[in-house]
Amino acid sequence: MGELVDVHSGPATRPGLETLVISAPPLQLNCPSMTRSPLLDSAPKTPKSPFVTRLMTPVASPMKKAIASMQGYLEEVGQFTKLDPQEAWLPITESRNGNAYYSAFHTLSSGIGFQALVLPLAFTTLGWVWGVICLSLAFIWQLYTLWLLIQLHESESGMRYSRYLRLSMAAFGETLGKLLALFPIMYLSGGTCVTLIMIGGGTMKIFFQIVCGNTCSVKHLSVVEWYVVFTCLAILLAQLPNLNSIAGVSLVGAITAISYCSLIWIVSITQGRPEGVSYDPPAANSEVARPFGIFNALGIIAFAFRGHNLVLEIQATMPSSGKHPSRIPMWRGVKLAYLIVATCLFPLAIAGFWAYGNLMSENGWILSALYNYHKLDTSKLLLGLASLLVVINSLSSFQIYAMPVFDNLEFRYTSKWRRPCPRWLRTGIRVFFGCLAFFIAVALPFLPSLAGLIGGIALPITLAYPCLMWLIIKKPQIFSPSWCLNWALGVLGMVLSVLVTTGAIWGIVTKGIQLRFFKPQ
């Protein structure tokens, strides 16, 4: 009989190994991870025994109520499911009281961020028409693959794949699944946290300069010192125990992201265009440079829609049963979130390109362009507010992207010692990760220059793997619409990943890269 259990990658969950069996206390019967087997939907109910009925005398009424309550519960749940005690010890699956609102908060916090501020740069190469077309197609494509992941979270065999890596291993095999997904997932988690330290710390410096001004007598901190301030704040927030506990932090992150995206493009339009703005594509140095520039622009658009490596983890925080599967509230929250994402990204990309045109190539991201061209004719209050919102959003996004790393590190401990991490160890793990991310941010300040290269490698996580995993796991009929669509998108996603990676390598070779170790600017 099918049973719904949570699974995790690693030795503790591989078939054939001895499984630790722990009897659940009575209170765990209400654990949301217990779900009904789909095979029980058609199973006949056991009739009540007349003998049991005669035993229910008024003296035994409390016992009668307890048994009746338990009988109703078993009819709802369907059976006693296996409880994996290790899942209750890990940050992602420790709490199972998530809902559609929580999924919307987390999805917004991970779906809108600093990568949106680079979107106008893609338009400088693609132009107005192709820029809008490519952005629209990428939005629809990634929303479809998001739906695929939500459906694949609960398999027909009764397993819940609470981590992207585990789903990849189930689809492609243990060895190939790790090879394909492990590095991109770790980069999208750890690498994003490193980038957030750079952006958050650098924006803190800009905010201080705006507020304090040139006449301020307070000593200005260096970039590294601002990195330290940001990292300390991020580590402090990281002490929240699990993914559900940071729902409020994700809500703050979502509100700040929506606010600064709207504020930046509105101020850019109202202040007018600087002199020398042009919308003509940059002149190519060679016949090869033009297509590679297009590939790089497509990579910028694809990288703007990240966060797919967190979808299964967010859904894992929800209760699930045969009558109320987690995919329903999860998809409801995602639809709300991406409706808001569209209202942020499209105006930001279009208005940013209108305001700065090819000047975006000199600034990289729209906030830098706003500060460089309008710092004298724009209120310091607005510039300072935009910078402050970016800092708060970076702090919030750090939490949700770091949670899979915390979960993986704690999994190693719980697999070896068969007990949950003590509080002091959990704190130490999070402090260690924060310090490691800070060290990488200081040691490799040129890391954002490699974002296009690594982003191309991580692109299949969003656009290709979900389609291929759907084909392998769901096995749609050959040449059916679903079969043709997923094969086309899966192959196209892999080809696009190769092209974006090649374009990024070409850009590094032709433009060069400044390898400034331990010299952040």
Side-chain angles (χ1 to χ4, degrees), residues 8 12 27-28 32 61 121 160-161 167 177 187 241 256 262 281 299 354 357 364 388 401 439 452 492 509:
H8 193 291
L27 290 178
Q28 284 193 3
S61 58
L121 183 61
R160 290 186 71 179
Y161 297 104
L167 179 62
Y187 166 74
T256 53
S262 303
W354 177 88
L388 180 62
Y401 275 97
F439 174 80
L492 183 60
V509 172

Side-chain angles (χ1 to χ4, degrees), residues 34-265:
M34 296 175 55
T35 56
R36 182 172 185 169
S37 170
L39 299 177
L40 292 175
D41 290 338
S42 60
K45 297 181 180 179
T46 304
K48 296 181 180 179
S49 172
F51 178 74
V52 175
T53 304
R54 288 195 296 269
L55 287 178
M56 296 304 174
T57 61
V59 177
S61 58
M63 181 64 69
K64 178 180 179 180
K65 292 180 181 180
I67 294 179
S69 176
M70 180 60 65
Q71 180 183 7
Y73 177 80
L74 292 179
E75 289 177 355
E76 170 67 21
V77 174
Q79 68 176 90
F80 290 103
T81 59
K82 290 181 180 180
L83 297 178
D84 184 356
Q86 190 177 18
E87 293 295 317
W89 300 337
L90 300 176
I92 288 176
T93 50
E94 188 176 64
S95 174
R96 295 283 196 176
N97 60 352
N99 51 46
Y101 296 104
Y102 283 16
S103 73
F105 300 159
H106 291 314
T107 304
L108 276 172
S109 182
S110 60
I112 308 178
F114 66 90
Q115 74 278 7
L117 302 178
V118 192
L119 276 177
L121 183 61
F123 277 56
T124 61
T125 302
L126 298 175
W128 285 109
V129 177
W130 283 108
V132 173
I133 291 175
C134 292
L135 184 60
S136 302
L137 291 178
F139 180 82
I140 297 172
W141 188 353
Q142 61 86 33
L143 192 60
Y144 171 68
T145 56
L146 199 60
W147 179 82
L148 292 180
L149 289 175
I150 292 172
Q151 303 302 312
L152 290 173
H153 176 82
E154 296 163 336
S155 68
E156 295 179 359
S157 62
M159 292 184 178
R160 290 186 71 179
Y161 297 104
S162 298
R163 284 95 181 159
Y164 195 110
L165 181 60
R166 186 58 186 176
L167 179 62
S168 175
M169 293 167 59
F172 302 121
E174 184 172 346
T175 302
L176 183 60
K178 283 185 178 181
L179 181 64
L180 293 176
L182 184 60
F183 173 76
I185 290 174
M186 288 298 102
Y187 166 74
L188 288 173
S189 294
T192 300
C193 291
V194 173
T195 307
L196 286 171
I197 290 177
M198 296 179 180
I199 292 177
T203 310
M204 276 184 166
K205 182 180 180 180
I206 295 176
F207 174 74
F208 181 81
Q209 291 173 348
I210 293 173
V211 173
C212 190
N214 297 326
T215 60
C216 184
S217 60
V218 179
K219 180 183 177 182
H220 288 233
L221 300 180
S222 65
V223 175
V224 175
E225 291 171 330
W226 282 116
Y227 285 3
V228 172
V229 174
F230 182 90
T231 304
C232 291
L233 293 175
I235 291 175
L236 185 63
L237 275 178
Q239 301 311 312
L240 294 172
N242 53 61
L243 191 55
N244 264 340
S245 65
I246 65 170
V249 177
S250 294
L251 174 60
V252 173
I255 293 174
T256 53
I258 297 169
S259 300
Y260 75 68
C261 286
S262 303
L263 180 63
I264 289 173
W265 72 260

Side-chain angles (χ1 to χ4, degrees), residues 335-365:
K335 286 190 295 184
L336 173 62
Y338 271 87
L339 176 63
I340 300 174
V341 168
T343 60
C344 290
L345 298 190
F346 280 86
L348 185 68
I350 296 172
F353 182 56
W354 177 88
Y356 305 107
N358 286 340
L359 295 178
M360 283 295 304
S361 300
E362 303 174 5
N363 297 275
W365 59 325

Side-chain angles (χ1 to χ4, degrees), residues 306-494:
R306 56 179 187 150
H308 282 52
N309 61 308
L310 297 171
V311 173
L312 298 176
E313 285 80 352
I314 295 172
Q315 191 172 351
T317 65
M318 296 181 174
S320 186
S321 67
K323 292 184 178 180
H324 305 285
S326 62
R327 64 178 179 271
I328 296 177
M330 181 65 187
W331 179 238
R332 190 183 301 124
V334 166
K335 286 190 295 184
L336 173 62
Y338 271 87
L339 176 63
I340 300 174
V341 168
T343 60
C344 290
L345 298 190
F346 280 86
L348 185 68
I350 296 172
F353 182 56
W354 177 88
Y356 305 107
N358 286 340
L359 295 178
M360 283 295 304
S361 300
E362 303 174 5
N363 297 275
W365 59 325
I366 189 173
L367 183 60
S368 177
L370 175 64
Y371 182 74
N372 289 335
Y373 297 113
H374 296 300
K375 63 181 177 181
L376 298 179
D377 55 2
T378 303
S379 169
K380 285 188 175 182
L381 177 62
L382 291 178
L383 293 176
L385 179 60
S387 301
L388 180 62
L389 292 174
V390 170
V391 171
I392 296 175
N393 174 258
S394 299
L395 285 170
S396 303
S397 299
F398 185 96
Q399 308 308 315
I400 191 169
Y401 275 97
M403 196 59 70
V405 180
F406 300 155
D407 185 88
N408 186 57
L409 293 175
E410 292 191 25
F411 173 75
R412 304 303 169 188
Y413 175 87
T414 56
S415 298
K416 182 177 181 179
W417 299 103
R418 304 290 186 175
R419 63 174 182 264
C421 284
R423 182 60 187 173
W424 66 267
L425 182 58
R426 171 171 283 188
T427 301
I429 287 174
R430 301 181 183 203
V431 172
F432 167 77
F433 173 74
C435 294
L436 178 62
F438 165 77
F439 174 80
I440 296 175
V442 175
L444 307 176
F446 55 87
L447 192 62
S449 302
L450 303 177
L453 173 61
I454 306 179
I457 299 174
L459 187 144
I461 292 289
T462 301
L463 300 182
Y465 291 168
C467 301
L468 300 177
M469 290 189 292
W470 179 272
L471 290 169
I472 295 173
I473 295 176
K474 293 296 185 179
K475 295 180 174 61
Q477 185 178 359
I478 297 178
F479 300 119
S480 64
S482 175
W483 186 88
C484 295
L485 176 63
N486 285 289
W487 263 118
L489 293 180
V491 173
L492 183 60
M494 297 303 297

Side-chain angles (χ1 to χ4, degrees), residues 271-294:
Q271 294 298 329
R273 294 174 292 182
E275 295 182 2
V277 172
S278 173
Y279 304 110
D280 297 328
N285 298 328
S286 63
E287 295 181 358
V288 182
R290 177 64 180 171
F292 280 123
I294 295 176

